[in-house]
Amino acid sequence: MQNSRTLERMDMAEFAERAYLNYSMYVILDRALPHISDGLKPVQRRIVYAMSDLGLHATAKYKKSARTVGDVLGKFHPHGDSACYEAMVLMAQPFSYRYPLIDGQGNWGSQDDPKSFAAMRYTESRMTPYAKLLLQELGLGTVDWGLNFDGTLKEPRLLPARVPNVLLNGASGIAVGMATDIPPHNLREVVAACIYLLENPKATTADLCQHVPGPDMPTRGEIITPAAEILEIYESGRGSFRQRAIWEKESGEIIVSELPYQASGSKILEQIAAQMAAKKLPMVSDLRDESDQDSPIRLVIEPRSNRVDADMLMQHLFATTDLEKSYRVNMNMIDISGAPRVFGLKECLQEWLDFRLSTVRRRLSHRLEKVTDRLHILEGLLVVFLNIDEVIRIIRNSDEPGPALVEAFSISERQAEAILELKLRQIAKLEEIKIRAEQEALAEEQQKLELLLSSNRRLKTLVRKELIADAEEFGDDRRSPLVTRGAAKALEENQLIPTESITVILSEKGWIRAAKGHDIDAQNLNFKSGDHLLCSAAGRSNDQLVVLDSSGRAYSIPAHSLPSARSLGEPLNSGLNPPAGAQFQGMMLAEAKQQYLLSTSAGYGFIAELGDMVTRNKSGKATLKMTDAARVLAPQKILDTDDDWIAVISNTGRLLIFTAFELPKLSRGKGVKLMNIPKALFTQGEEFVISVCAFREGQKLRVHAGKRYINLKPADFEPYIGSRAKRGKFLPRGFRQAKLIEAIE
């Protein structure tokens, strides 16, 4: 006989789409996202319920965690044991959960390494007192129940949480096409917001933020996000906030006493040590971890000297290490209808309050049914008391005593059943006074329950009282202070370089090197055969170093990277790409704000800031515009344009002195005339500017002509002082072939 089968044909694309959608919805609803009612994912809910089923309440003895995991997997959650145990560990870590649900005994990990917990065969656990807020009303008809995975047991679909646990402990998870990141909050603050919303349904998110000013993490680091940004997060349900470590100075050392949420002290020390090893943190000399039982977090950062700006150093560390962390907020959760949705603060609290009011209504209705049923039974018991002999006779002589009792005393089947379930010895104990006392008490309770159920206002008042009571019992002070601070900024590269005095030496053939200190006799250093000193510049290793070439282009070189003066140096051409035939002519070493006079032999120049000449381009930056036959003169440092003077001397011995104030400040260009050199004479090479010097009030000038020189005192300047762009006056005979002018003290 041929076996016949019914086959369903389906397009592959349709099958794949349906299968993927089913998988997606499973991950979203049954794995990754918390439910707004109790704030738990299915695995967490099943762990808590299984522990309750095992009797592991806060006052019970600890039991092996493996026992709990076994019950969860065997009865409710047919998945991997390691994933289930990790979910259990998370609910037991006080540095991970703001209000832990599990009280663990043994190694449950540390803030430094949350994954370092012991295996479940070693640890023991029970529930915390806070967990009763999720389970206290479970057996009171408050939630729906469903079959477990194999249909042999029932489990609650939700837990009747008495507080909005979804905000208190937060949640994080990644589903298919969506994720959730809900930060923890403070119980007292959230309850205050719930009560305010109960009393003021039209309250705005800004009103609620008066009670919930921001998240409250399990760790005590500062939340530095401004209140306006936090309000935007609560209005939209999306955004991010930042938390920063708390530190103080103690005996010249920096002590970090609190870390951001999920930050590891050992990892932070590794991050700082890596910067020290890379010589990017010269202001730190030592690191120590002095954490112990009394001080769980105590990281010591030892500055190199008392001159180190601790605030500036910490700003850099906040920007470059986990001493400051950013946390994403995406308040995505499953709503009462069972659909995932992103909630703002008000919508979240309102939805939870609707759930809570519905839960309390179900609890009261369930209790009212019990009370009504008990009153009904008590009425039947009174029949037994008043007619005990007749009841006993009917029971003894009747084949079906139930219907006989119903017919004899006009009672209900429920009452008759209750009478028949009584033991003989209990009948003797029945006393009318006790029955009637219980009747009165239950009747009073029945009246109160009916009043509560008939009035939304009374129902809200009851919820309000319960919220206040729970907040008083389990609430605590805020842990994460809210402090508005500016954004952290990493130090610039030149600020991270060891600041030591150096002298940079540049030779005529373009070889460069640096010597420590300023007392360097650059003229007497060794040079390659046929090479000589071109110029030198004194400064600090973290200053900007800029070199000018004969084409007027400027090149930047990190001063701290220069080879030592113990060698002959290295050619600048090896790291730069100057134009063909260009030669290096001058050098500047100073801070970026330092001003320099840039000039050419054609008699033109301007004042520029060193920072304007800095470039990362290996081909340099066009700075000084050159004319035909002109050459670049040595740059001159300008200390103060209001007080400094400029001395310009030509090859024919003309000298002109004028104030630096007359020169423009440019970032690039040709500049203006310093000295009036006739164009015909310059073109023919007969007259040009040979040297320029910037000097201060009170300094002398020395003019070199071959091996001879002349010193000019301030009293001798009068004949040469004039306005910019003048011809100047001749120096005394014998110095008409001047080569150099310099300032001396």
Side-chain angles (χ1 to χ4, degrees), residues 413-532:
E413 292 182 3
R414 177 80 178 90
Q415 290 173 320
E417 183 182 352
I419 293 171
L420 292 174
E421 288 177 353
L422 287 173
K423 294 180 180 179
L424 191 61
R425 61 185 179 187
Q426 289 177 308
I427 296 176
K429 292 181 181 179
L430 286 175
E431 298 179 15
E432 184 179 7
I433 296 175
K434 289 183 179 180
I435 293 174
R436 295 197 181 278
E438 186 180 354
Q439 267 186 325
E440 289 177 6
L442 290 176
E444 185 178 350
E445 184 181 357
Q446 183 184 41
Q447 185 179 6
K448 288 181 180 179
L449 290 171
E450 289 173 346
L451 279 173
L452 285 170
L453 289 169
S454 64
S455 170
N456 285 330
R457 184 176 57 83
R458 288 190 177 94
L459 201 63
K460 288 183 178 180
T461 301
L462 176 61
V463 170
R464 178 179 179 275
K465 289 180 179 178
E466 291 177 350
L467 283 171
I468 292 173
D470 293 335
E472 288 179 355
E473 183 177 359
F474 297 101
D476 56 3
D477 295 332
R478 167 173 279 276
R479 292 183 187 174
S480 303
L482 293 159
V483 183
T484 301
R485 300 191 187 278
K489 184 179 180 181
L491 296 175
E492 297 179 2
E493 184 179 356
N494 65 321
Q495 295 175 294
L496 294 172
I497 299 164
T499 56
E500 52 189 11
S501 300
I502 61 169
T503 300
V504 180
I505 301 100
L506 180 63
S507 74
E508 292 177 353
K509 292 187 177 181
W511 285 66
I512 194 167
R513 47 188 158 160
K516 291 184 179 180
H518 290 166
D519 54 345
I520 305 298
D521 186 0
Q523 193 70 47
N524 292 323
L525 291 176
N526 291 328
F527 292 88
K528 292 178 72 70
S529 178
D531 199 4
H532 303 88

Side-chain angles (χ1 to χ4, degrees), residues 273-447:
Q275 293 188 47
M276 293 172 65
K279 298 184 178 179
K280 293 184 177 180
L281 210 58
M283 61 282 291
V284 176
S285 63
D286 191 22
L287 293 173
R288 295 192 303 278
D289 186 354
E290 296 182 354
S291 305
D292 54 26
Q293 189 171 359
D294 296 329
S295 302
I297 302 295
R298 185 179 171 85
L299 308 182
V300 182
I301 303 171
E302 188 176 325
R304 189 168 294 276
S305 70
N306 292 331
R307 296 190 302 274
V308 173
D309 188 335
D311 290 307
M312 182 182 70
L313 171 59
M314 290 305 294
Q315 287 295 315
H316 172 76
L317 294 178
F318 287 143
T320 58
T321 70
D322 285 346
L323 285 172
E324 180 178 319
K325 294 189 71 174
S326 178
Y327 302 90
R328 192 167 68 98
V329 177
N330 181 18
M331 295 174 65
N332 190 10
M333 58 194 88
I334 301 171
D335 63 16
I336 298 299
S337 66
R341 182 155 63 96
V342 177
F343 287 83
L345 178 63
K346 180 182 177 180
E347 292 76 15
C348 178
L349 292 178
Q350 188 62 65
E351 183 99 350
W352 184 84
L353 283 172
D354 291 343
F355 163 78
R356 181 60 188 156
L357 288 167
S358 172
T359 301
V360 172
R361 186 179 292 277
R362 290 182 65 169
R363 185 189 79 199
L364 296 177
S365 298
H366 180 265
R367 177 59 184 166
L368 181 60
E369 289 177 7
K370 293 286 186 182
V371 169
T372 303
D373 182 62
R374 181 60 180 168
L375 284 171
H376 186 60
I377 290 173
L378 288 175
E379 289 177 5
L381 295 180
L382 280 174
V383 171
V384 176
F385 178 77
L386 296 173
N387 304 280
I388 189 169
D389 294 333
E390 181 65 16
V391 168
I392 293 173
R393 186 189 65 78
I394 291 173
I395 293 173
R396 179 184 297 171
N397 299 326
S398 177
D399 293 335
E400 295 183 357
L405 289 172
V406 170
E407 183 179 352
F409 301 108
S410 299
I411 60 177
S412 67
E413 292 182 3
R414 177 80 178 90
Q415 290 173 320
E417 183 182 352
I419 293 171
L420 292 174
E421 288 177 353
L422 287 173
K423 294 180 180 179
L424 191 61
R425 61 185 179 187
Q426 289 177 308
I427 296 176
K429 292 181 181 179
L430 286 175
E431 298 179 15
E432 184 179 7
I433 296 175
K434 289 183 179 180
I435 293 174
R436 295 197 181 278
E438 186 180 354
Q439 267 186 325
E440 289 177 6
L442 290 176
E444 185 178 350
E445 184 181 357
Q446 183 184 41
Q447 185 179 6

